[in-house]
Each structure stands twice: as structure tokens, then as C-alpha cells.
Amino acid sequence: MKLEFEDKQERTAFFGLLLFGIFTLVMNFVRMFISEPTSLYQLLTVEMIAGIGTIFIPFIFTKFTGLIFPKIIRLYYWFFLFISVFLGTGFQFMLIFPLWDKFLHAVSPILLVAVGYALINHYLRNSDYSSISPWLFIIMGFAFAGICGVFWEFWEFLCDSLGNMNLQRYMTESGQLYVGREALMDTMGDLLTNTAGSLILTVYSVTQRHNPNYFRAYAFRKLSKD
């Protein structure tokens, strides 16, 4: 699999994250033998291996589609992996900082809005850009991020239903079930935060809607055949 980078900055970001991921993996692997509970660090070690694998997803996507995500999306994707997988999970920021989960729910939809723009660019690639209203990008990008947030809550609900993982925080750490609105607070808070995060890039895009090259910057590039 060929690792093709747009410039030195993108290459540095990729290998920097890869080295940090390996460091996080080794740290949790060592703690598996010297810290308790052992099962926690066994799980974290497996999760870090999977996390390192997700760094390569943009290249795997290119391998199967021949399309390259623009630099801005790939950099933001790797930044999100850094704060979610390696800091949030590997360094357990999710436990250290109570609002880290909400922070991630605010950051991830910015990436999803950008991916929405890339998809719209792809499916309208044969169209005349001058005839496409910028509001199509703005509305569809915002909607794409929103629906992804909804499906993520479906995923958490499924995990809680089958594995009793308490991802939607419907019970206390001791296992006592929340009741009424209290049981809805985490899910509704996630959806609200997801919407607020989506608005960050959406509002900025509104200010850039008259720039003819703004939305094109989110378009896929084709893999060179050289």
C-alpha cells in the first residue's frame, strides 16, 4: 500500500501520530504486567493496536477507491485520532477529565461536515460549479454530520443493550439505574454537542460561500497512475 502525501506537513503529521501511537501502545503493554487491574491494560493494549490501524484508513480508502481525501480532512482526521484514541483512551483522559467525551462530540462533527463536502463534490464532479448553490454544500454537510451523530448513538445503544457497557450513561458506576430525564441526559447532551460542533464549520462555511474555490478545496483528488 502506497503512502502518498501532499506535502511535508502532512507526512510529518502522519509519522508523528504513528510514533505517538506506538509509544502509547508500548506504555499500556508494559503497564499490563506491572499495574492492576491487568484486564484493563490488556483491553487498552488491544485498543491501541486497533487505533494504530485506524491511522492508515485514508490510505486504505485510496487503495480501494483511487480517491485521495484532501489534506485538510486527513490532517483533521489524524488530529481527532490523537485526542480520542490515544489521549482519550490510551492515556485515559476520558476518566481524568469528565467533559472529555463531550469535547470529542464537539470536535468530531467538524470532520464529518468536511467529509460531507467531499462527498457532495464527488457526486457533483461532472456538474458546472457556477450553477451549484453553495447552500447545497452548507445544508448537506450539516445534515451529514447530524445523521452520523444519530447513528453513533444507535451504536452506543446497541453496545449497551448487548454488552451492558453503559456508553449512554444510563446507570451509575455501581450499577444503579437512572430514572426519567436523568437517564436521557447523556444521550441528549451528546446530540446537542454534536449539533453545536457541526455548526462551527457550517457557520464558517456560510461566511465563505461567495468564495468560488472554498468548497472545491474539500474535493477528492484522483490517485496518480505513475
Side-chain angles (χ1 to χ4, degrees), residues 170-182:
Y170 60 90
M171 63 181 176
T172 64
E173 293 297 328
S174 61
Q176 181 179 355
L177 295 176
Y178 291 122
V179 179
R181 286 176 60 86
E182 196 174 17

Side-chain angles (χ1 to χ4, degrees), residues 9-53:
Q9 181 188 36
E10 193 178 37
R11 180 186 296 272
T12 300
F14 171 79
F15 284 107
L17 180 62
L18 182 60
L19 289 175
F20 188 81
I22 293 172
F23 168 75
T24 309
L25 169 64
V26 172
M27 179 192 71
N28 281 288
F29 180 77
V30 171
R31 294 183 72 178
M32 185 170 63
F33 297 98
I34 62 177
S35 302
E36 295 290 342
T38 301
S39 58
L40 170 63
Y41 296 105
Q42 289 174 337
L43 177 61
L44 287 175
T45 298
V46 172
E47 290 178 331
M48 291 307 98
I49 294 174
I52 291 172

Side-chain angles (χ1 to χ4, degrees), residues 1-104:
M1 180 173 60
K2 183 179 180 181
L3 305 183
E4 183 173 309
F5 301 97
E6 188 170 317
D7 55 27
K8 184 178 179 180
Q9 181 188 36
E10 193 178 37
R11 180 186 296 272
T12 300
F14 171 79
F15 284 107
L17 180 62
L18 182 60
L19 289 175
F20 188 81
I22 293 172
F23 168 75
T24 309
L25 169 64
V26 172
M27 179 192 71
N28 281 288
F29 180 77
V30 171
R31 294 183 72 178
M32 185 170 63
F33 297 98
I34 62 177
S35 302
E36 295 290 342
T38 301
S39 58
L40 170 63
Y41 296 105
Q42 289 174 337
L43 177 61
L44 287 175
T45 298
V46 172
E47 290 178 331
M48 291 307 98
I49 294 174
I52 291 172
T54 61
I55 299 175
F56 293 86
I57 284 180
F59 303 108
I60 297 173
F61 174 84
T62 299
K63 173 73 173 179
F64 286 98
T65 66
L67 300 174
I68 302 173
F69 274 109
K71 172 186 171 182
I72 186 173
I73 293 181
R74 296 211 288 192
L75 289 178
Y76 200 89
Y77 171 72
W78 289 326
F79 169 72
F80 181 72
L81 290 184
F82 171 69
I83 63 175
S84 60
V85 176
F86 301 114
L87 292 184
T89 301
F91 279 81
Q92 301 184 60
F93 276 28
M94 295 280 283
L95 299 177
I96 299 172
F97 303 103
L99 294 179
W100 195 260
D101 177 63
K102 292 295 182 284
F103 170 61
L104 296 179

Side-chain angles (χ1 to χ4, degrees), residues 83-140:
I83 63 175
S84 60
V85 176
F86 301 114
L87 292 184
T89 301
F91 279 81
Q92 301 184 60
F93 276 28
M94 295 280 283
L95 299 177
I96 299 172
F97 303 103
L99 294 179
W100 195 260
D101 177 63
K102 292 295 182 284
F103 170 61
L104 296 179
H105 274 282
V107 172
S108 60
I110 302 175
L111 171 64
L112 293 171
V113 171
V115 172
Y117 293 163
L119 292 173
I120 297 168
N121 269 294
H122 178 66
Y123 289 114
L124 296 179
R125 61 188 180 279
N126 295 322
S127 302
D128 179 10
Y129 265 81
S130 63
S131 66
I132 302 174
S133 171
W135 289 104
L136 176 64
F137 287 90
I138 293 168
I139 294 172
M140 295 304 295

Side-chain angles (χ1 to χ4, degrees), residues 10 16-17 60 68 78 85 113 160 167-168 183 191 193 207 211 222:
E10 193 178 37
L17 180 62
I60 297 173
I68 302 173
W78 289 326
V85 176
V113 171
D160 288 347
L167 296 179
Q168 294 187 302
L191 291 174
T193 308
T207 68
N211 180 347
K222 287 188 176 182

Side-chain angles (χ1 to χ4, degrees), residues 154-166:
F154 288 166
W155 167 253
E156 288 191 347
F157 177 78
L158 180 65
C159 290
D160 288 347
S161 299
L162 300 179
N164 198 31
M165 299 173 66
N166 197 28

